[in-house]
Amino acid sequence: MLKRLKEKCRPENMMFKLIILNCGLLLVVTTILTLTGNVIYQNSIEEYSSANTMETQNQVLKSLDLIFQSVSDNIELLGKNPSVQNYMQVDAEREQGKRVELESQVREILSEYSECYKEYLNIVVVSEKGQYLSNDSYRIQKRPLSAEDWYQEAVEANGEMVLNTTSFGRNLRSWKNYSVDSYISVAKQVSKEETGEILGVILVDLDLKSIQNLVEDITMGQTGFGYIQDSHGKVVFAPKNKIVYRMDPQWFTGEKSGQVRCRIGGDKYNVIYSRSDYTNLVAVGVFDWGKTIEGAVQVRKVSIWIAVLTGAFAAVCSIVFSASFTKPISKLSRLMKKAQTGDLSVHFDNHYKGEIKQLGDSFNSMVDKINELIHLVYKEQKDKREAELKILHEQIKPHFLYNTLDTISWMAKDYHAQGIVDIVLALSNFFRISLSQGKEFITLEQEVEMVKSYLDIQKFRYEELFDYVTEFDSEVLKCQVLKLCLQPLVENALYHGIKESDQEKGTIWIRGYLEKPDILILQVEDDGAGMTDIQCRNLNEWLSHRERGEEIKAFGTLNVNDRVKLAFGEEFGLSYASRTGGGTIATLRLKRTC
């Protein structure tokens, strides 16, 4: 029995390995479940706290809505009073006696309202004609109250209630000298009963004490508190707490309700807010998140320690008893990572047996084949690029030289010798830059100079056929570009755009700018014959194909596109678009190299 147990406990025994591995997996699963349970517990606390606070805030907002609805209804009732209606319509200059009588009646009505509603600190009746009455305030300056912002806002609200949480700069002063932060103002337009004509505005200053108890009911744990702010972010009422004025009002300008997690003074706070649809006031609840989940944090710490210990034990067991079959796999994995980064010189020293040997042989064979394919593709692409560039040069030289010499011939007959000098110089400059001592890359400034020489030569042939404009940012002219990347595009614009157009004279625009810090855009635009959207789409699809038919109708365009893709990658290259008003825009996207 003891001997058999020793045999089963040997490290090379597969059953023993499986037992240890299963124990390790069991411990890992237990750890995951423990941690998941703690997360769920913490999330439950957060959801409960948030839901409870949100419910309390909604109840407070509903109570505030009722208070302001009551004020709004009283203002509307006061505005419909016949004495108030007549006072707002009386002509103060022509009907002095009637005005005095109506003022007495309105003052009596305001006094009754003040006695009935103690929380109404001040009631002001202002007519559209400029006269006003108040139970507890007087005008500071002679400027009419109808010019005040609160008056204009109430008129613009078209009968809706308007809240004003600040009275700074208001042309009214209370006889009882109430502080400006002890009340909130409610203003509402008064209209004529029969016609709906605007008669004036009634303003009520509501004592903040009437909403103080409601706000103080927003409590969250030991340190949580609530406060109210208006739609502009101004605090309407809040308990004495330094955290209130460190809140960013922009946090609460989005949705109707939500929550924000923030850090103030080194402590994390959970901020929950709700907005009233009626008053647009925002109830904000703030509580110390650390103290709220203090119990959950303790449980989490204990669970983490248990998970760490069990995980360490499981890891040690897994390393010790699985090393015998994981070591070659790990070695093979490291080699694969090196091969993935481009190091194809790696080789797996295969002295193993079984499946490991098969994996090693397959890996070595794969690396060898990849090396062969890379060398083959590189050689094919290099040969193709050299051949295409050579063909392009051969195509350009005889054809272009023939046309130029023909131009020189008829110029010698019809013009003075200076014209011949100019065209020969332009031709010489074109070939000098196009050859560039065999360089594949030249500066954009040189490429533009070569294109200008080409166009100047063409203008000798087609003097009245076209004009051209170059627009290049100074910062891009020193960038390195592929030689002969613009000239074929300009040639297409001239021969297939301008010459095939019915108009007497066309224009070619050549531009260069940075789309991004590392992306250079070159554009050739013409107002010639142009292409349809379908033709542009077909041409762009043709340019994007790796394999094309044997018949090539746009050799220069194809050459430019493929050379750019070979040099910079598949995300770069040439594309075409129709120009508004007629013509074509060729856009060449290059990688910035300067």
Side-chain angles (χ1 to χ4, degrees), residues 326-343:
T326 59
K327 184 177 179 180
I329 295 177
S330 298
K331 181 179 179 181
L332 187 58
S333 176
R334 289 193 298 271
L335 294 176
M336 286 182 176
K337 288 181 179 179
K338 288 185 177 180
Q340 187 178 5
T341 59
D343 183 3

Side-chain angles (χ1 to χ4, degrees), residues 151-181:
Y151 184 96
Q152 297 298 327
E153 289 173 1
V155 171
E156 292 173 1
N158 196 23
E160 297 294 328
M161 176 189 68
V162 175
L163 292 181
N164 287 281
T165 58
T166 178
S167 60
F168 286 108
R170 198 168 70 173
N171 192 19
L172 283 172
R173 180 173 296 171
S174 171
W175 290 103
K176 298 179 181 179
N177 289 325
Y178 294 113
S179 62
V180 294
D181 58 352

Side-chain angles (χ1 to χ4, degrees), residues 277-524:
D277 292 330
Y278 180 65
T279 62
N280 213 23
L281 292 177
V282 180
V284 183
V286 184
F287 56 88
D288 191 326
W289 181 240
K291 293 185 180 298
T292 303
I293 61 170
E294 191 172 9
V297 171
Q298 293 296 330
V299 174
R300 186 196 305 169
K301 288 181 179 179
V302 175
S303 300
I304 290 175
W305 276 111
I306 294 175
V308 169
L309 294 176
T310 54
F313 176 75
V316 170
C317 292
S318 298
I319 292 173
V320 171
F321 297 102
S322 64
S324 59
F325 56 88
T326 59
K327 184 177 179 180
I329 295 177
S330 298
K331 181 179 179 181
L332 187 58
S333 176
R334 289 193 298 271
L335 294 176
M336 286 182 176
K337 288 181 179 179
K338 288 185 177 180
Q340 187 178 5
T341 59
D343 183 3
L344 298 178
S345 62
V346 296
H347 184 80
F348 184 70
D349 296 329
N350 200 352
H351 56 273
Y352 300 95
K353 297 180 180 179
E355 290 82 358
I356 301 297
K357 177 176 175 57
Q358 294 178 8
L359 286 174
D361 291 341
S362 298
F363 173 76
N364 291 334
S365 176
M366 178 190 69
V367 171
D368 292 340
K369 289 182 178 179
I370 290 175
N371 273 316
E372 292 176 5
L373 288 173
I374 287 177
H375 289 302
L376 179 63
V377 170
Y378 176 77
K379 185 176 183 301
E380 288 180 351
Q381 293 296 335
K382 183 179 179 181
D383 293 343
K384 180 181 178 182
R385 182 169 59 180
E386 290 177 352
E388 290 175 348
L389 187 58
K390 184 176 180 180
I391 291 172
L392 179 62
H393 278 283
E394 294 300 324
Q395 184 190 37
I396 289 175
K397 286 190 290 185
H399 176 71
F400 182 69
L401 186 58
Y402 171 80
N403 290 334
T404 304
L405 292 176
D406 180 63
T407 303
I408 295 172
S409 175
W410 63 258
M411 281 187 64
K413 296 177 181 180
D414 299 337
Y415 292 93
H416 296 292
Q418 184 58 41
I420 298 175
V421 173
D422 293 341
I423 196 171
V424 169
L425 286 176
L427 177 63
S428 174
N429 188 50
F430 177 84
F431 279 109
R432 176 181 60 80
I433 299 175
S434 65
L435 295 175
S436 299
Q437 299 178 350
K439 295 179 181 178
E440 187 175 2
F441 284 86
I442 61 176
T443 65
L444 179 57
E445 186 175 12
Q446 291 175 310
E447 180 74 11
V448 173
E449 184 181 353
M450 180 174 61
V451 169
K452 287 182 178 179
S453 298
Y454 169 80
L455 289 173
D456 289 339
I457 292 171
Q458 296 293 358
K459 282 186 71 68
F460 281 111
R461 296 183 64 199
Y462 310 108
E463 182 177 0
E464 300 299 328
L465 183 63
F466 74 97
D467 286 324
Y468 70 90
V469 179
T470 59
E471 301 172 352
F472 288 87
D473 295 343
S474 58
E475 59 180 328
V476 304
L477 289 176
K478 299 302 180 183
C479 293
Q480 294 286 322
V481 297
L482 285 167
K483 183 171 59 180
L484 287 173
C485 64
L486 273 177
Q487 189 273 336
L489 308 183
V490 173
E491 183 176 348
N492 284 342
L494 176 60
Y495 282 94
H496 301 296
I498 303 299
K499 288 185 66 176
E500 295 182 8
S501 174
D502 295 333
Q503 61 184 347
E504 294 182 359
K505 191 171 186 178
T507 303
I508 299 174
W509 294 269
I510 310 166
R511 304 185 181 93
Y513 59 90
L514 291 177
E515 181 183 57
K516 294 180 180 179
D518 59 341
I519 302 297
L520 174 62
I521 298 296
L522 302 180
Q523 281 187 339
V524 177

Side-chain angles (χ1 to χ4, degrees), residues 17-289:
K17 294 177 182 178
L18 291 175
I19 292 173
I20 297 300
L21 181 60
N22 288 334
C23 290
L25 290 175
L26 181 61
L27 292 174
V28 170
V29 171
T30 303
T31 302
I32 293 174
L33 291 176
T34 302
L35 295 176
T36 304
N38 278 275
V39 172
I40 294 173
Y41 174 56
Q42 180 174 319
N43 290 339
S44 299
I45 293 176
E46 181 177 1
E47 290 176 4
Y48 174 78
S49 300
S50 300
N52 186 47
T53 302
M54 192 73 72
E55 179 65 24
T56 303
Q57 289 177 339
N58 289 334
Q59 292 298 327
V60 170
L61 289 176
K62 288 179 181 179
S63 299
L64 290 175
D65 289 348
L66 291 175
I67 291 175
F68 288 108
Q69 179 67 55
S70 174
V71 177
S72 177
D73 293 343
N74 285 335
I75 292 177
E76 186 171 353
L77 186 62
L78 178 60
K80 291 180 179 179
N81 188 286
S83 297
V84 175
Q85 290 261 324
N86 292 332
Y87 169 75
M88 288 185 169
Q89 299 177 66
V90 70
D91 191 328
E93 295 182 358
R94 297 181 180 180
E95 301 174 288
Q96 288 286 343
K98 186 177 180 180
R99 178 182 65 80
V100 172
E101 182 182 354
L102 289 172
E103 283 185 357
S104 177
Q105 294 175 5
V106 173
R107 289 185 187 278
E108 185 177 348
I109 293 171
L110 296 183
S111 178
E112 291 175 358
Y113 266 80
S114 298
E115 288 294 327
C116 184
Y117 301 99
K118 301 293 185 181
E119 64 273 19
Y120 293 2
L121 301 180
N122 184 26
I123 305 175
V124 185
V125 178
V126 184
S127 73
E128 188 74 7
K129 297 181 178 181
Q131 63 259 27
Y132 78 98
L133 286 176
S134 172
N135 67 321
D136 186 60
S137 63
Y138 60 93
R139 189 171 59 183
I140 302 172
Q141 301 175 355
K142 291 184 178 182
R143 183 164 55 96
L145 295 181
S146 57
E148 293 282 285
D149 291 341
W150 55 267
Y151 184 96
Q152 297 298 327
E153 289 173 1
V155 171
E156 292 173 1
N158 196 23
E160 297 294 328
M161 176 189 68
V162 175
L163 292 181
N164 287 281
T165 58
T166 178
S167 60
F168 286 108
R170 198 168 70 173
N171 192 19
L172 283 172
R173 180 173 296 171
S174 171
W175 290 103
K176 298 179 181 179
N177 289 325
Y178 294 113
S179 62
V180 294
D181 58 352
S182 64
Y183 56 84
I184 183 170
S185 299
V186 181
K188 193 171 183 181
Q189 170 190 306
V190 177
S191 303
K192 193 173 182 179
E193 287 283 347
E194 298 81 9
T195 63
E197 176 189 356
I198 299 174
L199 298 179
V201 172
I202 296 178
L203 175 75
V204 173
D205 291 337
L206 180 66
D207 193 348
L208 279 180
K209 291 181 180 179
S210 59
I211 66 174
Q212 178 177 351
N213 293 333
L214 292 174
V215 178
E216 290 176 346
D217 287 340
I218 308 178
T219 58
M220 285 150 284
Q222 299 177 352
T223 60
F225 64 92
Y227 67 93
I228 303 294
Q229 72 172 37
D230 63 12
S231 59
H232 302 292
K234 180 183 179 299
V235 176
V236 178
F237 178 82
K240 294 182 179 179
N241 194 302
K242 61 181 181 180
I243 300 299
V244 173
Y245 297 98
R246 299 182 67 178
M247 295 289 170
D248 187 353
Q250 296 299 321
W251 294 343
F252 319 123
T253 57
E255 300 178 356
K256 180 181 177 181
S257 62
Q259 61 178 337
V260 178
R261 193 72 59 80
C262 62
R263 182 180 292 275
I264 299 175
D267 297 324
K268 289 183 179 179
Y269 289 90
N270 201 29
V271 184
I272 300 175
Y273 67 93
S274 299
R275 180 180 292 101
S276 168
D277 292 330
Y278 180 65
T279 62
N280 213 23
L281 292 177
V282 180
V284 183
V286 184
F287 56 88
D288 191 326
W289 181 240

